[in-house]
Amino acid sequence: MCDGRGTPLKVITTAANIDDVTQTLALVEGVPPVAGRPGRPRRRPEVLLGDKGYDSNPNRDELRKRRILPVISRKGSPNIKGLGKLRYAVEQTFALLHQFKRLAVHWERRTELHDAFASLACSLICWRRLKKTSHDRATSSEHGHR
């Protein structure tokens, strides 16, 4: 799960034969508090975008109970218009994770090792983005931009 800019928020590793839809609520519940706007950090997203692999009426109901708007294409119907553009952030996150060669193919026999490498990769991606953001802020303040 990532935010709208492709920053990873939560990763869950499952067996290859497990449907993505089974992990929807675990992903949502596992997102840590995210600071941003003034006030209390958000504990859940406002909207959850998903492809047809996440199509499930029980999950839609659970997301709505949590006041999360599910924007998920239904199986057997055309894709939601514009979802591909929005899904770009997710694909970008996968590309960033796959730059860490050890994650591109799951070679680890023990899931804990793969999860540890995935967590480390996510941490490095977040750190690089924070470093870039703080550098951009410093540069713009030196030049008098706000």
Side-chain angles (χ1 to χ4, degrees):
M1 178 174 265
C2 67
D3 70 3
R5 291 171 297 203
T7 304
L9 300 173
K10 177 71 179 166
V11 175
I12 295 177
T13 305
T14 62
N17 60 346
I18 302 294
D19 289 331
D20 292 343
V21 72
T22 63
Q23 301 305 311
T24 306
L25 299 177
L27 282 169
V28 170
E29 293 300 321
V31 174
V34 178
R37 296 182 223 150
R40 250 186 4 212
R42 292 194 52 81
R43 294 203 60 86
R44 60 176 53 115
E46 293 173 8
V47 178
L48 181 76
L49 302 175
D51 60 15
K52 292 178 183 186
Y54 292 92
D55 181 25
S56 158
N57 285 332
N59 279 344
R60 287 174 198 276
D61 295 340
E62 284 299 317
L63 290 169
R64 286 186 186 107
K65 282 182 190 174
R66 291 169 170 82
R67 295 188 311 236
I68 300 171
L69 175 65
V71 179
I72 302 169
S73 295
R74 293 201 181 269
K75 291 179 183 171
S77 64
N79 286 333
I80 297 171
K81 187 174 181 172
L83 189 60
K85 277 187 186 177
L86 298 171
R87 186 146 167 78
Y88 174 78
V90 176
E91 298 303 331
Q92 178 188 12
T93 304
F94 284 137
L96 289 171
L97 287 170
H98 287 162
Q99 285 180 348
F100 298 90
K101 300 298 183 210
R102 196 137 189 184
L103 295 177
V105 177
H106 188 156
W107 292 105
E108 307 301 331
R109 290 180 184 262
R110 294 176 43 205
T111 304
E112 315 81 71
L113 290 174
H114 184 79
D115 289 347
F117 285 124
S119 293
L120 180 59
C122 289
S123 299
L124 286 169
I125 291 166
C126 291
W127 179 74
R128 288 173 183 165
R129 288 186 177 203
L130 286 171
K131 191 171 104 173
K132 182 180 183 292
T133 303
S134 64
H135 173 69
D136 291 348
R137 281 192 200 134
T139 305
S140 66
S141 65
E142 288 173 8
H143 296 295
H145 301 292
R146 289 193 176 186

